[in-house]
Amino acid sequence: NLKGLFDRRQMIANTSGCGNNWAVGHEVYGAECTPEVMEKVRKLTEDCDSLQTFLLLHSLGGGTGSGFGTRLLSELHDEYPTIYRFVSAVFPQRNDDVVTSPYNSILSLSELIDHADCVLPVDNSQLSDIVDYSKSPKRGTQGDSLVYGISEPSVVKAKSKADRKGGEAFESMNYIVASMLTNLTASMRFPGSLNVDLNELTTNLVPFPRLHFLHSAVAPLAVSKLGSKGSRMVGELFRDAFDRRCQLLTTPPVKPTYFASCMLLRGDISLSDATSNIDKLRKTLSLPSWNTEGFKVGLCSVPAVETPQSLLALTNATSITHTFDSIKERFVKLYSVGAHLHHYTEYIEQEEITQAYENVNSLIDSYHQAANIQLPFSEGDIYG
């Protein structure tokens, strides 16, 4: 029961939706609701002793989350330009049942490129696969390991209650994302020998302003059955965090280039254990010539509720372009024939849609260019 965490006076509700239309959420509800929302934000910020970050949670595929969510993001950018803006966004899956999802996603993604400082994407398809895998009778068998070419990660049921009914799988999916977010903010709330502020993440994980989309992985996803402790357990955490089955966003089975990585560890873990595992990990990863030492470590001494040791791995890698390419491909299919376009041009100019597409395309090119450049280089090598 979380209702006690929130002040009812700060809540804003609206009974109608945006009809799965980004333009309605951004232009209609954005103009109608943003002033009231920003006034409540102002009151909260005035009560803060040390305002560090805004954290927004919304989806990209629908209308309200994508349209109004990104409108609010741009308003925060304008009103509080020096305060970092983190976004945890639910990216659409390929079999999304929202027909207009490709339009909503491209328009939202363009806004995230321009107005967010750090984006942590997740997708329901991957979260569902994690939950299904955790209950699979083949989990841990030799055949299962050979499919992925690695040993079994310590994935277990995220919530035992979620096994009672199929519909309750959403509870497990939400629990995984909640674990990611609580580990992300743990250093702000608890003591540690090497705490990491959210502001430090952008400094260490974002080598160029537009390349701020991060993969996240939580290990273990809940309570480990292995029961190992100490150095052995830490090694398992690092192994699992770089297993694509533990990523919160679907990734292709290819070896990406890692621009930077951050390991946020919780529990009784020494810095020497962390650094020794990073040294082992570095030998297995493809790193750019301009950042072969791109690892940040955070140590929080207070463990998560259900596990004595845990790791949140945040990585900035070229594999994120797989998600962008998928969104772009679905967008082109609709846009090339003008399907459903009239629903959007009623509220925005068509040029705004083409500009959003070009912005996303440019982002994909920037990721590939950053992976291929060699020293010496200038920032112009990335942005032309």
Side-chain angles (χ1 to χ4, degrees):
N1 188 356
L2 300 178
K3 67 179 182 180
L5 294 176
F6 301 97
D7 186 344
R8 283 187 171 273
R9 294 171 296 180
Q10 292 296 113
M11 294 184 180
I12 299 174
N14 199 312
T15 56
S16 60
C18 299
N20 294 325
N21 189 329
W22 179 93
V24 174
H26 196 271
E27 300 299 323
V28 178
Y29 285 96
E32 176 184 328
C33 301
T34 297
E36 183 182 2
V37 173
M38 292 303 294
E39 176 61 19
K40 291 185 180 294
V41 169
R42 183 190 63 78
K43 292 179 180 178
L44 286 175
T45 58
E46 289 178 352
D47 291 335
C48 292
D49 294 325
S50 179
L51 179 60
Q52 185 175 124
T53 306
F54 290 111
L55 177 60
L56 286 80
L57 293 82
H58 63 85
S59 65
L60 263 62
T64 306
S66 66
F68 181 72
T70 54
R71 175 64 176 263
L72 180 58
L73 176 65
S74 65
E75 291 288 337
L76 291 172
H77 184 198
D78 293 340
E79 292 293 325
Y80 303 91
T82 61
I83 306 300
Y84 286 96
R85 295 163 300 281
F86 276 62
V87 177
S88 178
V90 181
F91 277 49
Q93 55 199 56
R94 292 193 66 89
N95 60 346
D96 195 351
D97 60 355
V98 178
V99 177
T100 55
S101 171
Y103 288 142
N104 299 333
S105 300
I106 284 289
L107 289 161
S108 300
L109 191 51
S110 179
E111 294 287 313
L112 294 179
I113 294 170
D114 293 339
H115 301 300
D117 291 297
C118 218
V119 181
L120 304 172
V122 301
D123 73 62
N124 285 331
S125 178
Q126 176 68 2
L127 295 176
S128 178
D129 287 346
I130 290 172
V131 174
D132 290 342
Y133 174 71
S134 72
K135 296 184 288 187
S136 171
K138 295 183 180 180
R139 183 172 63 84
T141 64
Q142 184 179 11
D144 181 57
S145 298
L146 289 174
V147 170
Y148 296 91
I150 52 178
S151 58
E152 174 218 1
S154 47
V155 180
V156 296
K157 300 175 184 178
K159 273 285 189 179
S160 58
K161 293 181 180 179
D163 298 323
R164 298 177 183 175
K165 296 180 182 179
E168 293 182 3
F170 284 109
E171 182 182 352
S172 294
M173 294 163 65
N174 288 334
Y175 181 79
I176 294 169
V177 178
S179 296
M180 182 268 285
L181 293 174
T182 54
N183 282 320
L184 178 70
T185 60
S187 288
M188 299 171 58
R189 297 177 288 115
F190 303 114
S193 58
L194 199 62
N195 274 348
V196 176
D197 289 337
L198 292 182
N199 297 351
E200 293 182 59
L201 295 180
T202 58
T203 302
N204 289 274
L205 291 175
V206 182
F208 303 99
R210 290 162 57 85
L211 310 189
H212 53 245
F213 293 82
L214 309 179
H215 283 289
S216 58
V218 179
L221 290 170
V223 185
S224 173
K225 283 184 177 179
L226 300 181
S228 50
K229 299 179 180 179
S231 300
R232 181 185 173 190
M233 178 62 180
V234 176
E236 292 168 356
L237 294 178
F238 276 82
R239 180 203 65 190
D240 290 1
F242 282 80
D243 180 345
R244 65 188 182 91
R245 289 173 293 185
C246 292
Q247 300 283 332
L248 273 57
L249 183 70
T250 303
T251 57
V254 295
K255 191 173 184 178
T257 298
Y258 290 88
F259 300 142
S261 303
C262 181
M263 309 298 162
L264 299 177
L265 294 138
R266 296 184 65 180
D268 185 16
I269 301 173
S270 67
L271 180 59
S272 60
D273 273 347
T275 53
S276 64
N277 278 281
I278 288 176
D279 289 338
K280 295 176 185 177
L281 187 64
R282 183 184 287 111
K283 299 175 183 178
T284 67
L285 302 180
S286 175
L287 305 172
S289 61
W290 44 268
N291 197 21
T292 57
E293 303 295 327
F295 289 88
K296 177 72 174 177
V297 177
L299 298 177
C300 177
S301 58
V302 178
V305 174
E306 294 183 339
T307 179
Q309 297 173 324
S310 60
L311 165 64
L312 169 62
L314 302 175
T315 57
N316 195 336
T318 54
S319 50
I320 195 73
T321 59
H322 167 77
T323 300
F324 302 152
D325 283 329
S326 176
I327 293 174
K328 188 178 75 170
E329 178 186 341
R330 296 174 61 213
F331 170 84
V332 170
K333 287 181 179 179
L334 284 183
Y335 191 73
S336 61
V337 296
H340 305 285
L341 195 58
H342 61 286
H343 298 302
Y344 291 79
T345 54
E346 184 178 348
Y347 303 98
I348 61 176
E349 297 293 331
Q350 186 170 340
E351 183 181 4
E352 187 172 342
I353 301 176
T354 58
Q355 288 176 347
Y357 172 76
E358 292 169 358
N359 199 17
V360 173
N361 227 13
S362 175
L363 176 67
I364 295 172
D365 291 341
S366 294
Y367 267 98
H368 292 312
Q369 291 171 20
N372 294 325
I373 57 178
Q374 300 294 325
L375 291 174
F377 73 98
S378 66
E379 196 165 301
D381 294 325
I382 302 295
Y383 299 113

